[in-house]
Amino acid sequence: NALKEAHLPEHLARIGAGCFAECPRLRLAEIPTYVEILQAGTFLEDRKLQEVRFAAESRLAVIGEDAFAECTALERISLPDSVTKIGDRAFRRCKSLAEIHFPAKLTHIGEEAFYFCGIEELTLPSNLRVIGDSAFFRCKNLRTVYVPESVREIGRWAFHGCSRLERIEILHDPDEIGPWIINRSCTIVCQKGSKVDEYAQ
């Protein structure tokens, strides 16, 4: 209960699931080079966590499910270039999270990964393939979204509940688009006669 900072040794390769969960005073966490997976719930409900530092040569590939869920004081995070997958609910209800840097290698964003976050601008990487169900549900500060051509699947309610979202651009035809990806008030910008155009109608 008294832990405020987690400084981990450079050679550390694995952090167990839920290792730092529910640490009410934890403000700073460092992730060493050789950690490749942040296990489920690693920092779950660390409501004072404000800063996460990744090693310069980080090999982190996967942010596990619920890894940072309910970290309500976290305002910004820059993920290492090595990250390819963000798991289900990874940043769920990080209400203060306004800025996030997505790495170019990222291919998968899981279900409810950024549910009810404070994200203001969203730059999705050009290798992204999957946007899971409710991935950005209720991100109320979002205004515009561009979905890159690499995306093959957009899950149901992916951007639903984003009450300020005015415009989403989907200029290609993904293989799968779930129901109600946006609110009625949002405009879908797409190619005339495309599958997305038919979906929008």
Side-chain angles (χ1 to χ4, degrees):
N1 287 341
L3 183 67
K4 293 182 179 180
E5 299 186 357
H7 301 283
L8 303 174
E10 293 180 10
H11 61 269
L12 186 70
R14 187 177 186 277
I15 303 172
C19 185
F20 294 99
E22 299 180 39
C23 294
R25 298 185 184 182
L26 185 66
R27 296 179 181 274
L28 168 67
E30 294 179 345
I31 311 299
T33 300
Y34 298 105
V35 175
E36 296 183 359
I37 299 175
L38 274 184
Q39 305 284 343
T42 303
F43 298 99
L44 175 66
E45 294 184 16
D46 289 347
R47 302 186 191 281
K48 294 288 182 68
L49 184 65
Q50 295 177 331
E51 185 176 3
V52 182
R53 296 177 187 168
F54 299 95
E57 301 297 322
S58 176
R59 299 182 184 182
L60 187 66
V62 177
I63 310 287
E65 59 186 39
D66 298 300
F68 294 98
E70 305 277 351
C71 291
T72 52
L74 189 64
E75 295 181 358
R76 60 186 59 86
I77 194 166
S78 182
L79 300 177
D81 293 339
S82 51
V83 172
T84 60
K85 180 179 180 179
I86 298 173
D88 297 349
R89 303 176 305 280
F91 293 90
R92 190 180 193 275
R93 296 186 68 86
C94 290
K95 295 185 284 187
S96 300
L97 184 62
E99 297 178 27
I100 182 162
H101 165 72
F102 291 112
K105 292 181 180 179
L106 184 68
T107 61
H108 185 102
I109 296 176
E111 296 180 12
E112 298 186 11
F114 295 94
Y115 179 105
F116 200 12
C117 286
I119 299 172
E120 296 174 358
E121 294 185 11
L122 193 60
T123 304
L124 297 172
S126 58
N127 286 309
L128 186 65
R129 295 188 62 81
V130 176
I131 301 174
D133 293 352
S134 303
F136 296 93
F137 190 91
R138 292 187 70 191
C139 289
K140 295 186 176 182
N141 294 327
L142 269 181
R143 293 186 180 274
T144 61
V145 172
Y146 169 71
V147 177
E149 291 186 15
S150 59
V151 172
R152 305 316 311 164
E153 180 182 334
I154 304 174
R156 62 177 183 172
W157 306 334
F159 298 95
H160 199 72
C162 300
S163 54
R164 296 183 184 177
L165 187 63
E166 300 169 352
R167 174 187 177 103
I168 183 169
E169 288 192 25
I170 310 174
L171 301 179
H172 68 295
D173 280 333
D175 298 330
E176 184 177 335
I177 306 178
W180 293 105
I181 61 169
I182 54 169
N183 290 6
R184 285 186 183 274
S185 58
C186 181
T187 298
I188 296 179
V189 179
C190 59
Q191 299 285 354
K192 187 175 181 179
S194 65
K195 292 180 183 177
V196 178
D197 186 10
E198 183 180 344
Y199 174 90
Q201 300 304 327

